Amino acid sequence: MKTITRLSLLVSSLIALGVGHAENIAVMGETVYTMAGEPLKAGVILISNGKIAAIGPKASINIPDGYRILKAVVVTPGLIDAHATVGLSGLLNQAQDQDMLEKSSAVQPELRALDAYNAKDPLVGWVRSYGVTTVNTGHAPAALISGQTMIVKTFGRTADEDVINPAAMTAVTLGRNGLTNTEGGPAASKSPGNRSKAVAMLRAELIKAQEYAKKRAAKDESKRPGRDLKVETLLRALTGVQPLLITANRQQDIISALRIAKEFNLKIVLDGCADAPMVLDQIKASGFSVIVHPTMQRSYEDMENLSVETAGKLHAAGIPIALQSSYEAYVPKTRVVLFEAAIAAAHGLSFEAALASITSGAATLLGIADRTGSLVPGKDADLALYDGDPFEYTSHCTGTIVGGMIFADGAH
Amino acid sequence: MPNRPLLCLAALLGVAAGVSAQEKPQVFTGAQIIPISGAPIAHGVLIVAGGKIIAVGPVDKISLPVGAEIHDVTGKVLMPGLVDSHSHIGSGSGGDGSGPIQPEARVLDSLDARDASIQKARAGGITTVNVMPGSGHLISGQTLYLKLRTARTVDDLLIKLPDGTNAGGLKMANGTNSMRGANGFPGTRAKSAALVREEYIKAQEYRDKIKRAAGDAEKLPPRDLALEEIGEVLAGQRIVQNHTHRHDDILTVLRLSQEFGFKVVLHHVSEGWKVAPEIAAAHAPCSVIMIDSPGGKLETKDADWRTPAILEQAGVLVGFHTDDPICDSRRFLRSAALAVRAGMTRPGALAAVTIANAKILGLDDRVGSLEPGKDADFIVLSADPLSVYAHIEQTWVEGTKVFDLSRPADHLYAVGGAGAGDSRRAQLCCFTSAWDLIANANNGGEQ
């Protein structure tokens, strides 16, 4: 009976903490992984106005009066999930809380995550309770072009308050999972029905966007075409402003993605890449980054060849990587990047490289390294606090700080 | 006819393999041994022979048999093979879409002993497993308890009971999975329970008719596979393994179990934390699943990692399961570790993947702990079993090594990669198959 009361109390305290506000905080960590240089022993981070004001060894930092003091065994930058659908694919998995895939057409780049993101979905709070402060979330990899992703902080307020990049990437899926005739694919479309058709459709859309751009530049205003949200989105990919996030797991799909990037001179980000170990040289030569599939993702169909060692192999080859929670149709409804990185750290990726894949490395990959991903004065006060090695199964996240706002309701 | 010489050969080889694995006592020395049945031993010795455990204890207190094969496992951790109380490895099946109650359907008649999922389970240290039909029925069929011996067919995996029958349980489910609302399937929870009660009453009457016939063939009712099967449950010969999530569904299972007097294990129990005292009072063991986030369906929205700890505190016997492919068999120990993270005791969590699950399957007289006389099922780990950095290096079943991380083919199943989804290559006892030669040659460069 006691336990039941304790659990319900916990739930109410969670809600109360959700509406906190930024305060002056001093975080003291026995080990602080700044991800900008060597880890600090007995480090202190001063936080003011939601930003990191100072960081250094305890001896060098004077904690002003009135600062709230938090202590932890290990402090890391707030974790970054480089590709998720959290906030769009809700906890309940009922039609009313599943906004990660619109099935009326295979090509819908105009769909914005911003217009669907539910900052209050319990799974946003769930990933935050393990240290995640930033998520690149959006439309699921299950249509040729399913929509756009946004980069959002996990404050849990509203999409507009929490967003830091409303149009980060446009999600493209090659391979079986992007086909219309697969389970979960857009039912209203006949195409694409196979790989050749998928690539032909994608090329046709990109060519349309190129031609649209030319026509929009026409001197005679009356000859310019009307606005087209679909094409405008792809145009941002062509100009390098909003890269295509191309999910490709089979090696032939990875190669197709690279071929398309070359043809249209695109900057892309590769996603998934279960077969990456077979085409490491080609990925390396392309210079593109890879958001590697979750290490614990189930291996079937296009992901049949996935391995817990792939993240380590990509890193060893010098290819920039980040890890992700990806999309789950059933259970677990969301994965947690902390746990995915832990498995990578146990299978060939060094501790610091694994941590970088969900902090500094992910920030660089997502183009947000000026704001978050490392503990440096002037950056957002995004921190995760642990009572031991963050990757150990039996350690706990004892607090998460998002933009100076403390979320600490016990050990998670 | 052309088959015959081959069959004979296989039989001979089989016998030869059996003898070679058993004739010499094997000694594993120097590891930290976690026997589960007692306190961990810092520097231990395990002696096995004839597929059984002969002795286990500290290095300085156990005398080694003459002529034994010595395995130096200094620096490693050795513990019982893991027991998974709920899995779907081996591509098995149970009832089909024709109706909600199909106790006559057997996993036995559908299991692929060479499926890659079975080899991955060995890589995860699982040596005993309850393979279940799905949860889309009120009664979906007969489960099969298996030992993950090196196998060519399902027969090589079976656990024989003293009466010669195959060990297994009966899979039941309640809640939304079996509420399909068509084809005779229930549309509500009340209807689900009513259908189950009707079936059990029918089975009671069938049993009584047979009893009254007293062997008189004229008076015997025609054989009914479904009712015979429920009869085994009523007689306490078969444990009901019941999928259930919501707290009210859990109570329904307990109510039915009490009405008909059957032994039941509650599986998943996402809301078990809400009714821990009731579960404890009913003496129903729980097999808990640990999922990386709550939700995914309505009845698991309140799933909580603290459930095992709360049940443990209430005095409930707690096991874990993979529900593979829901959780990966290779990460089974992670379930125990996450439960410790959420407040369960370490001994309780380690028991939950070994002896508690053995009890849940009614097999604790032969597996689940390292004790003399029990089956020589054990695993060798590189580090503490609850650490993310620990690797399972060897898995042994009845004194035979069935997984070795240092073998390229086994390494592939352990970590994944091209070919890890393929069936286990043909198993012959005394020589490497052509497939293994090719696989080893292909992997040789990078392993």
Side-chain angles (χ1 to χ4, degrees):
Chain A
M1 271 313 168
K2 241 181 199 167
T3 7
I4 294 169
T5 325
R6 202 176 67 206
L7 279 175
S8 29
L9 277 173
L10 238 168
V11 171
S12 42
S13 66
L14 264 171
I15 295 162
L17 276 159
V19 293
H21 56 273
E23 52 188 316
N24 292 331
I25 308 159
V27 177
M28 305 172 74
E30 290 173 24
T31 303
V32 178
Y33 291 94
T34 66
M35 304 314 285
E38 290 300 302
L40 293 175
K41 290 287 166 195
V44 174
I45 304 112
L46 292 186
I47 294 169
S48 185
N49 293 321
K51 300 278 180 190
I52 296 171
I55 178 167
K58 202 170 154 188
S60 71
I61 302 275
N62 183 30
I63 301 173
D65 287 345
Y67 271 57
R68 180 168 166 189
I69 293 176
L70 296 177
K71 291 181 180 176
V73 176
V74 172
V75 178
T76 71
L79 309 184
I80 300 170
D81 184 343
H83 185 197
T85 58
V86 71
L88 282 86
S89 54
L91 170 90
L92 302 178
N93 209 10
Q94 303 293 302
Q96 82 277 1
D97 74 346
Q98 300 303 294
D99 280 301
M100 65 289 150
L101 186 66
E102 162 66 38
K103 296 190 177 180
S104 59
S105 164
V107 177
Q108 306 197 60
E110 68 275 24
L111 307 186
R112 302 188 299 191
L114 185 69
D115 302 314
Y117 181 75
N118 175 12
K120 311 250 183 246
D121 188 86
L123 293 180
V124 174
W126 177 262
V127 299
R128 185 182 60 219
S129 72
Y130 294 95
V132 175
T133 56
T134 308
V135 177
N136 178 32
T137 188
H139 288 83
L144 180 57
I145 307 180
S146 63
Q148 304 170 39
T149 70
M150 68 190 280
I151 301 174
V152 65
K153 292 289 190 74
T154 58
F155 287 104
R157 298 172 304 195
T158 65
D160 297 285
E161 287 169 282
D162 296 354
V163 67
I164 61 173
N165 181 352
M169 298 178 186
T170 299
V172 172
T173 305
L174 298 180
R176 271 194 61 77
N177 203 25
L179 302 182
T180 288
N181 58 2
T182 53
E183 198 186 339
S189 312
K190 283 203 177 77
S191 292
N194 62 31
R195 289 182 154 86
S196 296
K197 183 70 174 182
V199 172
M201 287 170 72
L202 180 57
R203 292 179 63 226
E205 294 292 337
L206 290 166
I207 288 166
K208 215 192 286 176
Q210 285 175 327
E211 290 178 350
Y212 170 87
K214 279 184 207 152
K215 283 183 192 158
R216 284 286 289 183
K219 279 191 183 138
D220 182 350
E221 223 170 290
S222 67
K223 285 185 180 160
R224 290 180 194 167
R227 284 190 63 188
D228 181 327
L229 292 178
K230 246 190 225 321
V231 177
E232 281 177 12
T233 307
L234 292 177
L235 206 49
R236 291 199 294 277
L238 286 164
T239 54
V241 180
Q242 186 181 344
L244 295 184
L245 175 67
I246 304 186
T247 302
N249 279 299
R250 291 282 188 195
Q251 43 81 20
Q252 67 266 44
D253 300 319
I254 298 171
I255 297 300
S256 293
L258 298 181
R259 191 185 307 118
I260 293 163
K262 202 169 181 187
E263 178 180 355
F264 293 94
N265 194 27
L266 293 171
K267 177 180 173 263
I268 64 168
V269 175
L270 289 167
D271 177 85
C273 292
D275 280 358
M278 299 182 203
V279 287
L280 274 182
D281 292 346
Q282 291 87 339
I283 296 173
K284 168 84 175 158
S286 76
F288 297 131
S289 305
V290 177
I291 304 179
V292 191
H293 60 78
T295 45
M296 289 188 281
Q297 193 161 33
R298 296 180 188 105
S299 51
Y300 65 99
E301 291 190 346
D302 279 359
M303 286 91 79
E304 189 187 353
N305 297 330
L306 68 76
S307 162
V308 289
E309 294 181 341
T310 297
K313 285 181 180 170
L314 285 162
H315 177 72
I319 296 162
I321 59 162
L323 278 168
Q324 61 170 319
S325 61
S326 188
Y327 165 68
E328 287 290 342
Y330 187 42
V331 295
K333 195 55 197 167
T334 185
R335 295 185 177 277
V336 181
V337 279
L338 172 66
F339 304 145
E340 303 302 329
I343 298 294
H347 292 93
L349 198 60
S350 69
F351 175 88
E352 298 221 3
L355 190 55
S357 76
I358 52 171
T359 56
S360 53
T364 304
L365 195 154
L366 297 178
I368 51 171
D370 56 330
R371 284 195 65 166
T372 189
S374 59
L375 303 179
V376 172
K379 288 197 185 180
D380 294 354
D382 297 340
L383 284 76
L385 282 56
Y386 299 94
D387 63 1
D389 176 350
F391 292 146
E392 269 297 7
Y393 293 144
T394 48
S395 295
H396 303 92
C397 178
T398 53
T400 305
I401 301 175
V402 189
M405 201 181 282
I406 301 171
F407 296 87
D409 57 9
H412 288 267
Chain B
M1 267 321 189
N3 279 341
R4 218 182 206 163
L6 254 180
L7 281 173
C8 292
L9 177 64
L12 277 172
L13 292 173
V15 170
V19 170
S20 69
Q22 294 176 8
E23 62 188 7
K24 230 182 186 182
Q26 302 197 75
V27 172
F28 297 81
T29 180
Q32 184 208 148
I33 295 182
I34 305 174
I36 300 295
S37 48
I41 305 160
H43 298 283
V45 176
L46 173 77
I47 304 174
V48 309
K52 299 281 180 189
I53 295 168
I54 303 298
V56 57
V59 172
D60 51 2
K61 291 202 177 136
I62 300 273
S63 52
L64 304 186
V66 182
E69 187 183 342
I70 311 282
H71 303 261
D72 182 1
V73 281
T74 305
K76 309 293 183 191
V77 178
L78 197 152
M79 67 178 285
L82 307 182
V83 182
D84 182 357
S85 50
H86 182 156
S87 176
H88 302 287
I89 56 172
S91 299
S93 59
D96 62 11
S98 60
I101 294 179
Q102 303 184 50
E104 69 278 17
R106 304 185 298 192
V107 165
L108 174 71
D109 302 310
S110 62
L111 194 105
D112 175 4
R114 302 182 189 190
D115 194 273
S117 58
I118 293 183
Q119 189 55 24
K120 290 176 182 174
R122 293 185 184 108
I126 295 168
T127 54
T128 303
V129 56
N130 173 26
V131 177
M132 304 258 261
S135 52
H137 303 72
L138 298 170
I139 304 178
S140 60
Q142 298 165 41
T143 87
L144 203 53
Y145 303 163
L146 302 175
K147 289 297 279 291
L148 297 188
R149 307 173 189 105
T150 301
R152 300 174 66 251
T153 72
V154 65
D155 297 308
D156 299 330
L157 299 170
L158 300 174
I159 298 174
K160 292 288 177 187
L161 296 175
D163 65 0
T165 60
N166 300 321
L170 180 70
K171 174 73 181 284
M172 291 182 61
N174 69 0
T176 53
N177 280 23
S178 44
M179 282 157 52
R180 305 196 212 173
N183 251 359
F185 281 84
T188 64
R189 289 181 153 82
K191 180 73 174 180
S192 301
L195 287 172
V196 169
R197 293 184 66 224
E198 276 172 359
E199 181 72 7
Y200 272 80
I201 288 166
K202 247 193 266 174
Q204 284 175 328
E205 291 174 351
Y206 179 78
R207 173 197 63 192
D208 295 346
K209 243 185 234 174
I210 292 172
K211 207 174 168 188
R212 277 197 302 274
D216 181 349
E218 297 270 300
K219 289 181 184 162
L220 274 176
R223 281 192 67 186
D224 184 315
L225 291 178
L227 298 182
E228 278 178 12
E229 179 55 29
I230 305 284
E232 288 186 14
V233 170
L234 289 171
Q237 295 158 341
R238 201 175 267 276
I239 300 169
V240 170
Q241 307 287 351
N242 209 124
H243 159 116
T244 183
H245 285 287
R246 237 167 63 171
H247 75 281
D248 50 338
D249 289 330
I250 292 170
L251 296 180
T252 300
V253 175
L254 296 179
R255 195 180 306 119
L256 295 178
S257 137
Q258 199 168 26
E259 179 177 357
F260 296 100
F262 59 75
K263 286 189 221 165
V264 69
V265 176
L266 305 169
H267 284 256
H268 308 322
V269 289
S270 296
E271 292 191 3
W273 61 271
K274 296 183 182 176
V275 286
E278 287 80 1
I279 297 171
H283 302 291
C286 287
S287 177
V288 182
I289 191 165
M290 299 295 281
I291 301 280
D292 276 36
S293 57
K297 57 181 178 179
L298 273 176
E299 51 183 22
T300 60
K301 69 182 172 60
D302 290 343
D304 196 300
W305 282 358
R306 286 166 290 193
T307 295
I310 291 167
L311 291 172
E312 181 188 38
Q313 281 160 24
V316 175
L317 179 69
V318 179
F320 294 114
H321 64 257
T322 62
D323 201 3
D324 192 318
I326 297 298
C327 295
D328 193 324
S329 291
R330 295 170 294 185
R331 305 267 101 76
F332 188 35
L333 279 167
R334 182 170 179 264
S335 296
L338 293 179
V340 170
R341 183 186 193 118
M344 195 182 202
T345 66
R346 179 186 161 92
L350 289 173
V353 289
T354 53
I355 192 68
N357 270 345
K359 287 177 184 164
I360 276 171
L361 303 182
L363 298 172
D364 50 309
D365 58 333
R366 48 176 106 177
V367 302
S369 59
L370 300 178
E371 292 175 85
K374 280 198 169 182
D375 291 356
D377 300 347
F378 57 93
I379 57 177
V380 179
L381 297 118
S382 63
D384 187 84
L386 299 187
S387 169
V388 68
Y389 302 110
H391 294 265
I392 293 166
E393 296 183 343
Q394 297 172 21
T395 304
W396 293 71
V397 177
E398 294 166 4
T400 299
K401 189 159 63 177
V402 299
F403 168 80
D404 186 335
L405 188 61
S406 69
R407 292 196 293 234
D410 285 356
H411 183 266
L412 178 64
Y413 285 115
V415 303
D422 298 347
S423 297
R424 185 68 182 161
R425 312 303 183 196
Q427 300 286 323
L428 292 173
C429 88
C430 306
F431 55 90
T432 311
S433 76
W435 273 113
D436 277 337
L437 288 174
I438 294 165
N440 289 344
N442 287 341
N443 292 329
E446 39 168 342
Q447 298 301 337

